[in-house]
Amino acid sequence: MPPTTTASSGQQPGKSGRKKGRRARLIVLVLVLAVIGGIAYGGYWSVSTVRASLPQTKGSITLEGLSGPVDVKRDGYGIPQIYASSDEDLFMAQGYVQAQDRFYEMDVRRHMTSGRLSEMFGKSQVDNDEFLRTLGWDRVAKEEYDTKLSASTKKYLQAYAKGVNAYLQGKSGKEISLEYAALGFVNDYKPAKWTPVDSISWLKAMAWDLRGNMQDEIDRALMTSRLGPKQIADLYPDYPYSRNQTIVQEGQYDELTGTFQQNGSSANNGLSGTGTGTSTNGGTGTDGTTTASSASSALQSQLSGLSDVLDDVPTAVGVNGNGIGSNSWVVAGSHTITGHPLLANDPHLSAALPSVWYQMGLHCRTVSSKCQYDVTGYTFAGMPGVIIGHNAKIAWGMTNSGVDVTDLYLEKLSGDGYLYDGKVKPFTTREETIKVAGGASKKIVVRETNNGPLLSDRNDELVQVGKKAGVGNEAPDRGDGYGVSLRWTALDPGTSMDAVFAMDKASNWSEFRQAASLFDVPSQNLVYADSENIGYTLPGRIPIRQKGDTGAIPAPGWDPKYTWTGKYIQQDELPYEYNPKRGYIVTANQAVVDKDKYPYTLTTDWGYGTRSQRITDLIQQKIKGGGKLSTDDMRQMQLDNSSEIAKLLVPQLLKIDIDDKDVREAQELLEGWDYTQDADSAAAAYFNAVWRNILKLAFGNKLPKELRVKGQCLWVDPVNTTGPVDDTDKVRECGQRDADQAQPDGGDRWFEVVRKLMNDPNSDWWKTPAGVGDRPKATNRDELFKRAMIDARWELTAKLGKDIDTWSWGRLHRLFLNNQTLGTDGPDVVKYLLNRGPWKLGGGEATVNATGWNAAGGYGVVWVPSMRMVVNLGDLDKSKWINLTGASGHAFSSHYTDQTGKWVKGELLDWSFSDSAVDKSTSDTLVLKP
């Protein structure tokens, strides 16, 4: 029977939401006027339609399946704290409440992870569905549910699904979300019931966006069409271990015991010998280069098409695996004003509306064997439990480790099979039917090799090109062509869902480490704190390869030496730290451990440590100055805008003699600049334009078309390391990559590339032909810098005006928040109603306040600190948090973007945890009754 309600129905504005409530009513009025004017989306949206989906937040609702009453207490920002007396009731209520606020988002997510977007949005999504069906996330999730997860985890997933379905029962589409009313004009889609597998699949989508170096693997292979091995090596320099500190500094691998030990002792590692696989001592060589490169022409044709396919795949949390980072650090009580640890975290993910995160508290009224949880933090709508946050005893944060858990293989196809070890092996195949709203269904066949699914089957052009691809003498005969397959740890069933619940109730370091050992995919850097201790651990299913670092470039699938061994690094072999003597731990996607202290290859594509070292320097400045860190100090560090590449380049830029008075006027902005990228800074605007143009001139114009911005057509010269560039070799080529995916993106890999070249002012990389008009050619570093300063001046004149007094970084560096479906592809009036922004932001690429932008594509914000939190282990009620948007996914809710303004300003909200603090902050209380 449908849920019954009493008392108030409809959302009640909180204490801070009244002004935004008035704005919501204004937007409703605009909508009504749009309807009257005949420009609404295909029909009539009434005020009742707009209001129908706003959730009930007061009074009571009867839910069949509860064993006892559940209280849902929301604060002035609509953030819910749930109180129950059993685990099942707690997670059932979580499902119900998340569905109240975010079901449309949840529904889109599950259609993405299962490759069923076409059922909602029609034929435009068929290509994406084909690719996602080929990956088979939902198939793996179902296998996890059936064979890997604990009985208690299954019980919680079932309870969560029951809560979601209780919310859906008896509701029409427009009563669930406004977007369904819009979809109703083009198809008769109706949401299906939620299942436990729908929740598990989301972890696969998250793992896909955080998968590590797969894009680097593709890019390096694509570069071989225009660049030689030395030139590619220039663009992928080694990690600067001597300058930027690793995460783990006080431990190393012990060959005698076969475990990772801190300061020569395995005490307090918290694992007691647990592991996820059998280990062997792996090498770190890259001796697969010759064999793999022998098929370079085939790789070129296959990977350029594959890159296009990947760019179109919907993102879950990141920008398709490119450039995503995060900050997290923890400081021991010896260095804080409270005498207890402080923990900060701000994951850098794609800007989404609503935010990828949903804030929530899950509280057992009495913690016992019947009801085990008292936890709060950031959740994913559609998945039970808390992903990042704290309970009554411990706190934890996450950053992406970036370890290499994917390999691409070039496969030699032959009839109904593929070549392996000199023999033709049959494909493993399955047929998939894609249902299409408003159209006929489409059937596809998914083929898999021993290495994994054949991704290249999902592009007709790739199939044809693979049949014709030229290869070197060492590769097998062409036969029926070549394809590209994927080996990825997330395509094997795992236990990450078990890990979420185990971490949520862990009460000490040992229990936390045991829980983390279950978090196999995606591998994350986990920082830990309790009231007296701090720690770090690296979990994850990380493969041991026969040929060492085969993940640097695509490998020849026909050669058994490149097949994964089936062995993984055991958990007690993975790096960790517990109460290091220095009193703090910083993780910001830098190298985990010095390569000389560890025998395994985790990856060769770390972040280069720019953010992590800046955070470390800020902590050390405070400590060495005799100070103690406060919660607000941690917040201020999260907002640090300092540009490390500006510190390197500006002194040299100021030495360059500029004749043009207008360009010289812009150059003078850099004099006395403190390198901070505030939103109102003209100097930051000009420097970043110079940086963008340096990258374009030195590198971008010399990269193959597959890496450059789509539509950017140039006469391109390859870099020639044996002599000067020959102008007669110019070739006109147009870029093929989306602006937010193109190279050079300007991240800290490029910082390191330029840093190494600064001492070689006559490198061929600095040479570039003359530009249009009077733009001079460059024959050395300083001439290229001068050209970049000229180009930047006139680029900003076109964008911001000739008067430099009106320039500011925020005018260039803007954040738009778009609804991820109808807000990007719907009619203009729908986009207007669902989207928000722009906001002018400070920060920038590879700064601590990492408001990322792609230097090849422009200055707009591509990813952001998706949330910020600081946990105070001395008094949990003095912890702080903020979300990018708001709790609600309903466009006309007062909680749609009510946290964004504070997020932009760098403010944090109070984070209530204790019963008394939650009661004090509560605005609305809803009782769910059995």
Side-chain angles (χ1 to χ4, degrees):
M1 58 182 292
T4 58
T5 66
T6 61
S8 301
S9 64
Q11 185 183 41
Q12 302 298 315
K15 299 174 183 175
S16 63
R18 294 187 180 92
K19 182 181 292 186
K20 290 183 174 60
R22 289 194 294 271
R23 181 169 183 259
R25 289 192 292 274
L26 256 175
I27 295 172
V28 172
L29 178 60
V30 172
L31 173 62
V32 173
L33 292 174
V35 172
I36 294 171
I39 60 171
Y41 182 43
Y44 180 72
W45 277 359
S46 66
V47 173
S48 63
T49 299
V50 172
R51 291 177 175 171
S53 60
L54 297 181
Q56 177 179 337
T57 60
K58 289 185 176 182
S60 64
I61 297 175
T62 299
L63 296 186
E64 184 178 348
L66 288 175
S67 64
V70 177
D71 296 327
V72 182
K73 301 179 180 181
R74 295 178 183 260
D75 67 10
Y77 289 87
I79 300 170
Q81 304 284 339
I82 299 175
Y83 291 83
S85 298
S86 74
D87 291 337
E88 291 92 331
D89 284 356
L90 191 64
F91 294 117
M92 181 178 176
Q94 183 182 16
Y96 185 88
V97 171
Q98 287 190 342
Q100 278 189 305
D101 283 335
R102 299 280 194 95
F103 182 77
Y104 177 76
E105 173 193 8
M106 293 162 56
D107 200 17
V108 171
R109 284 179 175 180
R110 68 167 165 174
H111 279 78
M112 182 187 76
T113 58
S114 60
R116 295 187 296 117
L117 287 168
S118 300
E119 294 178 16
M120 294 184 75
F121 304 109
K123 63 181 180 180
S124 67
Q125 297 302 312
V126 169
D127 288 347
N128 286 329
D129 282 348
E130 288 186 19
F131 186 79
L132 294 165
R133 293 286 184 97
T134 300
L135 289 174
W137 292 341
D138 64 327
R139 292 171 57 85
V140 181
K142 186 177 188 307
E143 190 174 353
E144 284 185 4
Y145 183 79
D146 290 340
T147 67
K148 289 289 185 178
L149 299 181
S150 68
S152 60
T153 293
K154 291 182 181 180
K155 182 171 61 176
Y156 301 155
L157 288 165
Q158 292 163 2
Y160 181 90
K162 187 189 298 183
V164 176
N165 293 327
Y167 170 74
L168 295 178
Q169 190 173 3
K171 288 184 172 65
S172 64
K174 73 175 185 179
E175 293 175 306
I176 298 171
S177 185
L178 179 63
E179 287 90 340
Y180 290 117
L183 284 176
F185 290 118
V186 293
N187 65 55
D188 58 355
Y189 172 81
K190 293 180 176 58
K193 287 186 176 182
W194 194 264
T195 72
V197 173
D198 293 334
S199 295
I200 303 169
S201 296
W202 182 242
L203 283 171
K204 300 301 176 185
M206 182 176 72
W208 176 253
D209 284 353
L210 303 177
R211 62 192 177 270
N213 75 333
M214 184 170 147
Q215 191 64 55
D216 287 322
E217 192 173 334
I218 292 172
D219 288 355
R220 276 190 290 263
L222 291 173
M223 286 179 184
T224 60
S225 67
R226 299 195 61 90
L227 304 175
K230 180 184 181 302
Q231 296 159 338
I232 295 174
D234 286 345
L235 304 186
Y236 287 88
D238 292 336
Y239 185 87
Y241 289 97
S242 62
R243 188 175 69 254
N244 294 342
Q245 294 179 0
T246 58
I247 297 173
V248 174
Q249 301 170 38
E250 299 178 19
Q252 64 182 36
Y253 188 84
D254 188 304
E255 297 283 356
L256 294 177
T257 63
T259 62
F260 194 90
Q261 297 191 359
Q262 183 173 344
N263 296 327
S265 171
S266 60
N268 291 322
N269 70 6
L271 279 180
S272 304
T274 63
T276 59
T278 304
S279 70
T280 60
N281 200 6
T284 59
T286 57
D287 53 354
T289 304
T290 301
T291 304
S293 63
S294 68
S296 60
S297 297
L299 276 173
Q300 285 295 317
S301 59
Q302 290 290 308
L303 292 178
S304 61
L306 177 58
S307 186
D308 291 341
V309 173
L310 294 177
D311 284 354
D312 290 336
V313 174
T315 59
V317 297
V319 188
N320 280 326
N322 286 329
I324 292 297
S326 300
N327 302 323
S328 189
W329 66 96
V330 60
V331 180
S334 57
H335 298 312
T336 71
I337 62 173
T338 66
H340 299 279
L342 296 171
L343 185 151
N345 195 189
D346 55 288
H348 307 153
L349 304 172
S350 293
L353 182 60
S355 166
V356 69
W357 300 110
Y358 183 90
Q359 296 151 289
M360 178 175 259
L362 301 171
H363 308 278
C364 290
R365 293 189 178 94
T366 301
V367 176
S368 65
S369 59
K370 180 182 178 183
C371 197
Q372 305 171 74
Y373 295 88
D374 188 15
V375 61
T376 181
Y378 294 87
T379 73
F380 290 133
M383 201 175 87
V386 169
I387 304 299
I388 295 174
H390 72 81
N391 58 33
K393 298 291 186 180
I394 71 167
W396 65 96
M398 294 185 186
T399 64
N400 195 27
S401 70
V403 299
D404 185 3
V405 295
T406 61
D407 280 347
L408 291 171
Y409 288 87
L410 184 66
E411 305 282 5
K412 211 283 287 191
L413 310 182
S414 181
D416 293 328
Y418 59 96
L419 186 68
Y420 180 73
D421 198 17
K423 299 177 183 178
V424 176
K425 302 274 189 179
F427 293 112
T428 300
T429 63
R430 68 177 187 273
E431 187 175 83
E432 298 272 355
T433 300
I434 298 172
K435 297 179 181 179
V436 182
S441 297
K442 181 176 182 179
K443 291 185 178 181
I444 64 169
V445 175
V446 177
R447 300 190 295 178
E448 294 190 5
T449 73
N450 61 324
N451 294 313
L454 207 61
L455 302 186
S456 49
D457 276 358
R458 301 284 69 86
N459 184 291
D460 291 339
E461 182 179 355
L462 288 184
V463 174
Q464 295 304 314
V465 174
K467 291 180 178 179
K468 301 176 181 179
V471 295
N473 293 331
E474 296 179 31
D477 290 337
R478 177 179 293 112
D480 291 332
Y482 294 86
V484 176
S485 65
L486 171 67
R487 183 74 170 96
W488 178 33
T489 55
L491 296 183
D492 298 323
T495 55
S496 292
M497 199 70 240
D498 282 341
V500 172
F501 296 112
M503 286 193 294
D504 283 356
K505 63 181 180 180
S507 62
N508 54 45
W509 170 246
S510 179
E511 291 179 4
F512 180 76
R513 280 270 282 169
Q514 295 283 355
S517 70
L518 300 171
F519 204 93
D520 45 19
V521 178
S523 175
Q524 296 288 287
N525 296 311
L526 297 178
V527 293
Y528 165 93
D530 58 41
S531 62
E532 303 298 332
N533 305 289
I534 64 172
Y536 161 84
T537 189
L538 175 70
R541 187 191 300 133
I542 303 170
I544 297 172
R545 297 167 169 90
Q546 295 182 75
K547 297 291 289 185
D549 180 28
T550 58
I553 57 174
W558 52 82
D559 190 338
K561 294 193 298 291
Y562 295 89
T563 305
W564 282 12
T565 64
K567 299 175 182 178
Y568 301 88
I569 304 174
Q570 290 193 22
Q571 285 297 315
D572 58 4
E573 295 179 293
L574 288 169
Y576 76 95
E577 271 191 338
Y578 186 65
N579 290 331
K581 293 178 181 177
R582 64 187 181 277
Y584 59 87
I585 302 170
V586 176
T587 84
N589 316 111
Q590 79 271 40
V592 169
V593 63
D594 194 300
K595 59 183 179 180
D596 295 331
K597 297 181 179 180
Y598 199 64
Y600 299 107
T601 297
L602 297 173
T603 187
T604 56
D605 291 310
W606 303 110
Y608 281 79
T610 303
R611 282 178 288 109
S612 61
Q613 192 57 43
R614 175 61 178 172
I615 295 166
T616 297
D617 291 344
L618 291 171
I619 293 172
Q620 289 180 339
Q621 287 172 17
K622 190 76 171 183
I623 293 172
K624 290 178 180 178
K628 303 271 189 180
L629 283 96
S630 66
T631 300
D632 198 59
D633 289 328
M634 303 283 273
R635 178 189 70 86
Q636 292 285 357
M637 289 168 62
Q638 290 177 327
L639 304 178
D640 183 81
N641 284 332
S642 177
S643 171
E644 298 304 301
I645 191 61
K647 294 175 184 177
L648 174 69
L649 294 182
V650 166
Q652 190 64 35
L653 295 175
L654 290 174
K655 294 177 183 178
I656 295 173
D657 186 24
I658 300 292
D659 298 326
D660 187 303
K661 66 179 181 62
D662 291 312
V663 180
R664 189 168 62 252
E665 181 185 31
Q667 181 188 34
E668 290 170 354
L669 289 172
L670 304 179
E671 296 177 358
W673 179 42
D674 63 0
Y675 311 119
T676 59
Q677 300 171 98
D678 295 332
D680 60 0
S681 171
Y686 181 60
F687 171 77
N688 282 317
V690 173
W691 171 237
R692 167 172 148 84
N693 280 278
I694 287 173
L695 292 171
K696 179 181 178 181
L697 294 168
F699 311 106
N701 291 353
K702 298 161 188 172
L703 294 176
K705 61 183 180 295
E706 292 88 355
L707 274 68
R708 293 191 288 104
V709 176
K710 187 177 295 182
Q712 181 193 78
C713 300
L714 300 167
W715 289 96
V716 179
D717 291 314
V719 176
N720 186 345
T721 56
T722 61
V725 174
D726 186 348
D727 287 345
T728 63
D729 291 336
K730 290 182 180 180
V731 179
R732 183 169 175 80
E733 292 181 342
C734 297
Q736 297 179 350
R737 189 166 286 186
D738 288 344
D740 63 355
Q741 305 285 322
Q743 293 292 340
D745 61 16
D748 66 354
R749 173 165 67 88
W750 294 100
F751 290 15
E752 195 65 20
V753 169
V754 170
R755 183 185 296 276
K756 287 184 175 295
L757 289 172
M758 287 294 286
N759 294 325
D760 186 6
N762 294 311
S763 167
D764 283 340
W765 287 111
W766 300 126
K767 298 174 183 178
T768 188
V772 296
D774 59 352
R775 303 289 205 277
K777 70 176 183 179
T779 62
N780 58 43
R781 180 196 64 198
D782 288 353
E783 288 180 358
L784 184 139
F785 282 7
K786 181 176 182 178
R787 164 77 180 277
M789 294 172 75
I790 294 169
D791 289 357
R793 177 24 158 149
W794 298 116
E795 180 187 3
L796 293 198
T797 297
K799 292 181 181 294
L800 302 179
K802 188 174 182 180
D803 184 359
I804 65 173
D805 289 338
T806 67
W807 291 3
S808 71
W809 177 223
R811 286 181 62 196
L812 290 172
H813 192 52
R814 299 187 299 167
L815 169 67
F816 290 84
L817 292 175
N818 295 328
N819 176 286
Q820 294 301 290
T821 56
L822 301 182
T824 57
D825 293 322
D828 288 344
V829 66
V830 176
K831 293 179 182 179
Y832 174 79
L833 294 167
L834 297 180
N835 298 340
R836 300 290 184 269
W839 288 269
K840 299 175 181 179
L841 298 189
E845 187 66 34
T847 63
V848 181
N849 184 20
T851 54
W853 56 287
N854 186 301
Y859 303 97
V861 177
V862 178
W863 60 82
V864 294
S866 55
M867 61 81 159
R868 299 186 183 103
M869 74 175 196
V870 180
V871 182
N872 184 330
L873 277 300
D875 185 345
L876 292 171
D877 285 332
K878 292 183 179 178
S879 302
K880 303 283 186 178
W881 63 352
I882 196 77
N883 205 351
L884 173 64
T885 60
S888 180
H890 299 288
F892 303 106
S893 166
S894 59
H895 303 308
Y896 192 47
T897 56
D898 58 341
Q899 297 185 52
T900 307
K902 290 183 177 295
W903 177 93
V904 170
K905 295 176 184 176
E907 299 176 9
L908 299 176
L909 304 177
D910 291 337
W911 185 354
S912 301
F913 178 68
S914 68
D915 292 351
S916 59
V918 169
D919 287 343
K920 186 176 180 180
S921 64
T922 295
S923 294
D924 296 351
T925 299
L926 174 69
V927 179
L928 304 178
K929 295 181 177 180

